[in-house]
Amino acid sequence: MLGDDRFWPAVWTTVILLVVLLPLQFALAMAMSMVITSRLRASGFWLYVFLLPLGVSELGAGILWYSIFVEQGWLNTVLQSVGLIDRPVIWLDYREPWRVIGTIVVAEAWRSTSLIVIILVGGLRAIPRDYLEAADVFHAGPWQRMRHVVLPMMRPTIRTALIVRTVLAFEVFATVIALGGTGTDVLATQANRAYTEYQDAHLASAYGLVILLVSLVAVGIVLVALPTRKERGE
């Protein structure tokens, strides 16, 4: 496995996706969760809108976004119609891996952010109203309310959401295949290639063990970085 020319590129691409997706999806999911749990009119309607991507499989989402980013796809058509570009942009240019990784990030953010939203909505609704009303009494601003009330109360929920998303980030597969083809590798696609193309079950198992180990290490980092009050002795 270590002698495979595609091993380290697959590792770095996997890490890049994790580093970019995790904060991006958490920010999006928190904003969406705040909309759902707000007292705004029809806020409950947005719950169903935000959860729609969960009804699409990973491969289906990849194909959908491929039709958007392909040279003659929806994105270039819209950009040309409004005059922002003169000719189609090759978004899936495999000579520019950063551009392909960007399309994968967008597709994954659209597909799996809903899962984090479900977890965060549960955490927001579990916050006692007394704490939020106390913040209003002391005239706390939106940022103070978020920093001193919402985020501390949601620490266990946030930790759960980060763990789930971190583990799933190491398992991204079909979206990469649909958008990146054979030119973009992550650990999961390498495990599949080892089994199907190389027909080497031992090599595929080695990749599977690497995915397991890095997932455990990442989960351990999250657990240490976000201890609960009981773990901190409070």
Side-chain angles (χ1 to χ4, degrees):
M1 180 183 63
L2 295 177
D4 189 347
D5 294 337
R6 295 189 170 190
F7 173 71
W8 287 111
V11 171
W12 289 119
T13 303
T14 304
V15 172
I16 290 170
L17 287 176
L18 175 64
V19 171
V20 175
L21 275 171
L22 205 59
L24 174 63
Q25 285 194 298
F26 178 77
L28 287 174
M30 180 59 74
M32 294 159 68
S33 301
M34 296 295 288
V35 171
I36 293 171
T37 56
S38 67
R39 298 179 182 179
L40 298 176
R41 186 176 181 181
S43 58
F45 166 76
W46 291 105
L47 172 64
Y48 301 100
V49 174
F50 293 151
L51 296 187
L52 282 177
L54 287 180
V56 183
S57 67
E58 184 181 357
L59 180 59
I63 295 173
L64 171 64
W65 284 95
Y66 178 83
S67 68
I68 293 175
F69 287 118
V70 74
E71 188 173 356
Q72 301 300 326
W74 298 351
L75 180 57
N76 282 330
T77 301
V78 172
L79 293 178
Q80 283 183 291
S81 65
V82 298
L84 293 179
I85 57 175
D86 297 327
R87 56 183 179 179
V89 177
I90 304 177
W91 302 103
L92 300 176
D93 188 349
Y94 305 112
R95 295 168 298 181
E96 299 184 21
W98 287 101
R99 186 175 292 183
V100 178
I101 291 175
T103 64
I104 295 172
V105 167
V106 172
E108 270 297 299
W110 176 83
R111 184 189 69 86
S112 58
T113 300
S114 301
L115 182 60
I116 305 178
V117 170
I118 294 175
I119 300 173
L120 294 183
V121 166
L124 284 171
R125 289 180 172 170
I127 298 176
R129 303 297 303 179
D130 295 343
Y131 290 90
L132 300 176
E133 292 173 358
D136 294 334
V137 169
F138 288 99
H139 305 287
W143 171 244
Q144 293 175 318
R145 180 189 177 107
M146 175 66 68
R147 180 182 177 185
H148 297 291
V149 179
V150 175
L151 292 180
M153 295 294 296
M154 288 187 62
R155 182 182 289 265
T157 304
I158 292 173
R159 188 166 74 165
T160 301
L162 289 177
I163 289 174
V164 170
R165 188 60 193 101
T166 299
V167 172
L168 292 179
F170 289 112
E171 300 175 1
V172 174
F173 173 74
T175 307
V176 177
I177 293 294
L179 293 171
T182 58
T184 303
D185 295 313
V186 293
L187 289 173
T189 59
Q190 278 298 97
N192 177 71
R193 180 177 289 111
Y195 189 78
T196 57
E197 294 184 17
Y198 305 157
Q199 296 185 351
D200 190 337
H202 301 294
L203 180 59
S205 299
Y207 273 106
L209 286 175
V210 168
I211 295 173
L212 173 62
L213 290 176
V214 294
S215 298
L216 290 174
V217 170
V219 169
I221 293 174
V222 174
L223 292 175
V224 172
L226 291 174
T228 61
R229 291 185 175 182
K230 183 181 295 186
E231 293 169 350
R232 289 183 297 176
E234 297 181 4

